[in-house]
Amino acid sequence: MNTAEARDLLRLLSWLLGAPVLDEEPVNDAEAMEAAALLADQAHQALGSGPDGQGVRALWCQVQPIVTVDRVPYDSGGEPSGLRLVGRDG
């Protein structure tokens, strides 16, 4: 992984986690989409299959993903179930 790919991965993680990963501002939806697209281009080139950046951008605009956190209250004896990436329509 080169420096540009690592930075794109950290931008995408920042968006997924909802918190800065580097010493930067939180990543907005457009920045996350572009980071995902650039990573998809690199993966597509390396593997020769899977979605490329153009496909990721098109799908991102169609689905408009958001991150939601499912939590089960600790006082009920449950464990947090984690993050889910979902479309804006649920």
Side-chain angles (χ1 to χ4, degrees), residues 9-27:
L9 176 60
L10 291 179
R11 281 189 184 110
L12 188 55
L13 286 173
S14 177
W15 181 80
L16 285 170
L17 299 172
V21 175
L22 300 173
D23 292 330
E24 299 176 354
E25 294 294 313
V27 174

Side-chain angles (χ1 to χ4, degrees), residues 3 6 15 20 22 26 28 32 35 39 42 44-46 48-49 52 55 59 63 65 69 72-73 77 87-89:
T3 303
W15 181 80
L22 300 173
N28 64 39
L39 288 168
Q42 293 297 320
H44 183 81
Q45 183 179 9
S49 64
D52 62 4
L59 186 58
V63 175
V69 179
V72 176
R88 294 221 185 262
D89 60 358

Side-chain angles (χ1 to χ4, degrees), residues 15 27-34 60 65-66 88:
W15 181 80
V27 174
N28 64 39
D29 292 351
E31 292 169 320
M33 177 187 70
E34 191 57 28
W60 194 289
I66 59 170
R88 294 221 185 262

